[in-house]
């Protein structure tokens, strides 16, 4: 017998009164609910960054305004600089470093400071044990018998020192000079202050490495360590 054709097969009848079954799906909100802001989040994102910034400011970096023109043209009056507090400890000071220190004996009174301050900024020339001398009248500064060429940082047209001097730096002291030697009441000008114009190492608050204000003068400050490369070290005396 021949097979029945597909057209002749009986078709299921649909009762209009019977609802067609449909799939049921849980409704999902397309916008996820944000997690609550916990105490841990506050500590992690608010308190911790503030503590880090304060710690860096107190123990690693310092910020100072320049009170006088003694460091022209390296640093101008009113410039603001950033220092690292990691010197003199744990990072040792080096000749050429631009150091910020407490005013040892009212030096600023002789520099025509533009605002009140009890901090000075100078270039470190002599370390403990060094003999720093100059014959004056345009002669170079001599450290431990070696003349140095300071043209890289001295203010143009200014001599290394018009006055002659010779100082041996004892232990725990530093010999400093301004880059603008014609207007800098530095170690040369205070040889009768009881400490021969020398700065106690303990009074150093940091080494300046950057100008951050004004914006048109933002930039790194060079210590010019290469100027002192040939200078031998000497053991300081107490």
């Amino acid at each position: 017998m021949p097979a029945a054709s597909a057209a002749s097969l009986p078709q299921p009848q649909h009762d209009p009164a019977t609802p067609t079954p449909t799939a049921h799906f849980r409704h999902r909100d397309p916008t996820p609910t944000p997690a609550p802001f916990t105490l841990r989040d506050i500590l992690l994102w608010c308190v911790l960054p503030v503590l880090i910034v304060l710690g860096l400011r107190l123990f690693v970096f310092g910020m100072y305004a320049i009170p006088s023109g003694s460091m022209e043209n390296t640093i101008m009056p009113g410039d603001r600089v950033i220092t690292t507090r990691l010197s003199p400890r744990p990072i040792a000071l080096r000749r050429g470093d631009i150091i910020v220190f407490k005013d040892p004996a009212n030096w600023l009174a002789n520099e025509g400071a533009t605002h009140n301050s009890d901090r000075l900024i100078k270039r470190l020339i002599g370390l403990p044990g060094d003999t720093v001398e100059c014959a004056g009248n345009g002669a170079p500064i001599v450290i431990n018998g070696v003349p140095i060429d300071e043209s890289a940082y001295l203010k143009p047209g200014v001599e290394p020192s018009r006055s002659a001097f010779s100082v041996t730096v004892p232990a725990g002291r530093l010999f400093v000079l301004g880059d603008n030697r014609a207007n800098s009441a530095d170690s040369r000008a205070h040889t009768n202050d009881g400490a021969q114009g020398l700065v106690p190492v303990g009074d150093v608050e940091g080494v300046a490495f950057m100008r951050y204000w004004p914006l048109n003068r933002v930039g790194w400050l060079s210590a010019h360590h290469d100027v002192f490369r040939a200078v031998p070290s000497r053991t300081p005396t107490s």
Side-chain angles (χ1 to χ4, degrees):
M1 177 182 294
S5 64
S8 62
L9 294 176
Q11 301 294 322
Q13 300 296 318
H14 174 66
D15 185 355
T18 303
T20 302
T22 58
H24 295 278
F25 298 94
R26 180 179 297 177
H27 176 70
R28 294 184 180 179
D29 187 351
T31 304
T33 303
F37 204 60
T38 64
L39 177 60
R40 178 178 179 276
D41 294 325
I42 294 175
L43 293 174
L44 182 62
W45 300 107
C46 299
V47 178
L48 184 59
V50 172
L51 292 177
I52 291 174
V53 171
L54 287 176
L56 291 174
R57 177 66 178 85
L58 291 173
F59 302 107
V60 181
F61 299 113
M63 305 172 79
Y64 297 90
I66 306 306
S68 72
S70 68
M71 284 294 291
E72 294 178 358
N73 290 336
T74 304
I75 312 172
M76 306 298 288
D79 283 1
R80 295 179 180 270
V81 300
I82 302 176
T83 68
T84 170
R85 296 182 184 273
L86 300 179
S87 293
R89 285 175 292 272
I91 300 175
L93 294 169
R94 299 174 63 185
R95 300 181 193 93
D97 286 344
I98 300 172
I99 62 173
V100 173
F101 55 94
K102 298 175 186 176
D103 191 342
N106 199 27
W107 289 15
L108 278 169
N110 299 320
E111 291 200 356
T114 56
H115 61 271
N116 293 330
S117 175
D118 58 354
R119 301 294 187 273
L120 293 103
I121 185 165
K122 306 287 183 187
R123 193 174 296 274
L124 172 55
I125 302 297
L127 292 170
D130 288 346
T131 295
V132 185
E133 52 194 340
C134 181
N137 297 320
I141 301 294
V142 178
I143 307 173
N144 299 339
V146 177
I148 58 174
D149 180 4
E150 300 183 279
S151 58
Y153 52 78
L154 284 182
K155 183 176 181 179
V158 172
E159 298 174 346
S161 180
R162 287 189 176 181
S163 59
F165 63 87
S166 179
V167 176
T168 297
V169 185
R173 300 282 175 166
L174 304 168
F175 185 92
V176 298
L177 296 174
D179 289 357
N180 180 11
R181 304 284 163 81
N183 185 31
S184 179
D186 44 42
S187 290
R188 300 166 302 163
H190 299 276
T191 55
N192 297 320
D193 67 356
Q196 290 186 289
L198 303 175
V199 177
V201 173
D203 285 353
V204 176
E205 297 189 348
V207 174
F209 65 91
M210 182 181 180
R211 280 185 307 267
Y212 72 92
W213 188 263
L215 294 179
N216 63 340
R217 287 180 50 78
V218 170
W220 302 107
L221 297 172
S222 176
H224 296 286
H225 292 142
D226 56 304
V227 170
F228 307 86
R229 185 176 299 135
V231 176
S233 296
R234 289 184 178 175
T235 303
T237 58
S238 59

